[in-house]
């Protein structure tokens, strides 16, 4: 699982929630295809078989339950784990989904760690069942830099290293440009110095984690690669305008 990115299909019609889940999973090392309803997903899945499907239960056009029943008619999806996410699921609905063969479900609001751990566990189980005898080769992806995708390239590097300390030396070496050129380019495009850009990129990710239900402040520090809780809290207040503790309280009332 660590040697290659796993492909996940997310089916979620709530744009804010979908964007947050998208960023969390991408930053956690997954390839993600986000579709807005079951019908879009059904069309996409006709030509694509992901490693995991995560779908909201109630959606316009086609819900997650109907999508599951449709794709399971095709044998190629027999080994693809299917996780349902929903805000309301009574016992009758829950038992019905499990009886139909849904592998797991997550109740909204949920914590980021719950989603990531369920994906990890279900992928590990799938790998054991498939009994893969030959390990996948390690691959090194070189980010090609151009003027057009300069900021995208930086964001890609930051996302891949979100839990670690990243500085201008690391970025410049990854982008194959000098530190002075990197600083000039980022200032020109964002009106920020590179340190500020990195810090705010990490803080934006923390905000998405909080939106998804995360309240553990030390977990936020660890997931965003800050040196300490005190530095994270100070940076957060300066960036957002309120203390970390107050922001978490206001978000999860």
């Amino acid at each position: 699982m660590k040697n290659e990115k796993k492909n996940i299909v997310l089916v979620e019609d709530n744009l804010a929630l979908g964007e947050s889940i998208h960023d969390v999973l991408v930053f956690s090392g997954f390839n993600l295809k986000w579709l807005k309803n079951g019908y879009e997903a059904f069309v996409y899945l006709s030509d694509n078989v992901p490693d995991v499907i995560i779908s909201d239960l109630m959606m316009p056009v086609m819900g997650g339950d109907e999508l599951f029943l449709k794709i399971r008619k095709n044998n190629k999806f027999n080994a693809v784990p299917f996780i349902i996410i929903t805000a309301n699921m009574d016992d009758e609905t829950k038992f019905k989904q499990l009886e139909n063969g849904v592998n797991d479900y997550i109740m909204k609001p949920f914590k980021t760690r719950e989603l990531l751990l369920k994906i990890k566990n279900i992928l590990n189980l799938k790998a054991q069942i498939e009994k893969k005898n030959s390990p996948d080769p390690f691959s090194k992806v070189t980010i090609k830099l151009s003027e057009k995708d300069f900021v995208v390239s930086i964001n890609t590097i930051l996302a891949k290293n979100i839990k670690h300390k990243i500085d201008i030396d690391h970025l410049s070496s990854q982008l194959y440009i000098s530190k002075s050129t990197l600083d000039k380019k980022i200032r020109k495009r964002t009106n920020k110095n590179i340190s500020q850009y990195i810090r705010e990129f990490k803080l934006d990710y923390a905000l998405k984690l909080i939106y998804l239900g995360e309240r553990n402040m030390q977990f936020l520090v660890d997931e965003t690669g800050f040196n300490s809780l005190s530095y994270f809290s100070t940076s957060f207040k300066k960036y957002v305008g309120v203390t970390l503790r107050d922001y978490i309280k206001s978000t999860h009332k």
Side-chain angles (χ1 to χ4, degrees):
M1 180 175 168
K2 292 182 179 179
N3 294 341
E4 70 170 18
K5 286 189 175 184
K6 296 298 181 180
N7 299 308
I8 296 180
V9 164
L10 170 66
V11 192
E12 174 59 63
D13 63 313
N14 184 300
L15 298 184
L17 179 59
E19 182 180 356
S20 296
I21 295 176
H22 172 278
D23 290 350
V24 167
L25 294 182
V26 169
F27 287 3
S28 297
F30 297 103
N31 290 321
L32 193 79
K33 178 65 176 180
W34 174 23
L35 300 150
K36 307 304 188 300
N37 61 63
Y39 179 74
E40 286 185 12
F42 184 67
V43 173
Y44 174 80
L45 292 169
S46 65
D47 296 316
N48 299 274
V49 181
D51 294 291
V52 180
I53 300 171
I54 303 170
S55 176
D56 194 2
L57 180 62
M58 302 299 293
M59 292 178 291
V61 186
M62 183 189 295
D65 51 349
E66 184 179 354
L67 171 65
F68 175 78
L69 293 175
K70 281 184 174 293
I71 66 170
R72 280 297 161 92
K73 292 178 180 179
N74 191 323
N75 290 335
K76 68 181 181 180
F77 292 103
N78 286 347
V80 179
F82 197 104
I83 300 174
I84 286 283
I85 54 177
T86 182
N88 300 301
M89 184 181 284
D90 54 32
D91 286 345
E92 182 179 351
T93 304
K94 177 173 64 177
F95 293 149
K96 180 181 178 182
Q97 297 307 314
L98 293 174
E99 286 173 355
N100 286 340
V102 169
N103 301 94
D104 208 341
Y105 63 89
I106 298 178
M107 298 294 293
K108 302 176 188 176
F110 54 85
K111 291 190 175 182
T112 306
R113 278 175 290 177
E114 179 184 4
L115 177 62
L116 292 176
L117 285 172
K118 286 194 173 187
I119 293 173
K120 177 183 176 182
N121 290 343
I122 210 166
L123 284 174
N124 285 339
L125 178 60
K126 180 184 176 184
Q128 292 174 20
I129 293 174
E130 292 175 347
K131 296 179 181 179
K132 295 181 179 178
N133 296 317
S134 57
D136 296 320
F138 287 93
S139 61
K140 295 182 179 179
V141 179
T142 302
I143 297 173
K144 296 181 179 180
L145 182 65
S146 69
E147 290 297 322
K148 184 178 180 180
D149 62 8
F150 177 75
V151 174
V152 173
S153 298
I154 289 179
N155 290 348
T156 301
I157 296 171
L158 294 180
K160 289 174 63 178
N161 298 274
I162 194 72
K163 295 183 181 182
H164 308 289
K165 181 180 179 180
I166 311 169
D167 55 25
I168 191 170
D169 292 304
H170 179 84
L171 276 178
S172 60
S173 64
Q174 290 288 305
L175 296 169
Y176 302 101
I177 59 176
S178 68
K179 290 187 287 186
S180 60
T181 300
L182 172 59
D183 188 62
K184 289 177 182 177
K185 284 178 175 289
I186 201 67
R187 286 177 185 271
K188 179 180 178 180
R189 287 160 178 76
T190 68
N191 293 318
K192 303 172 185 177
N193 62 46
I194 191 64
S195 296
Q196 179 186 0
Y197 187 83
I198 294 172
R199 183 171 60 252
E200 293 182 0
F201 184 92
K202 289 173 173 284
L203 289 170
D204 283 335
Y205 180 51
L207 289 170
K208 293 182 184 300
L209 293 176
I210 294 170
Y211 175 81
L212 285 173
E214 187 55 56
R215 300 186 184 189
N216 187 308
M217 291 186 285
Q218 187 58 52
F219 178 77
L220 293 171
V221 173
D222 295 338
E223 286 296 297
T224 51
F226 276 80
N227 293 330
S228 66
L229 177 57
S230 60
Y231 178 50
F232 177 84
S233 299
T234 301
S235 301
F236 187 93
K237 182 177 181 181
K238 183 177 180 181
Y239 183 51
V240 180
V242 297
T243 66
L244 174 60
R245 190 178 301 277
D246 288 343
Y247 184 83
I248 291 175
K249 287 181 179 178
S250 66
T251 303
H252 299 294
K253 284 182 177 180

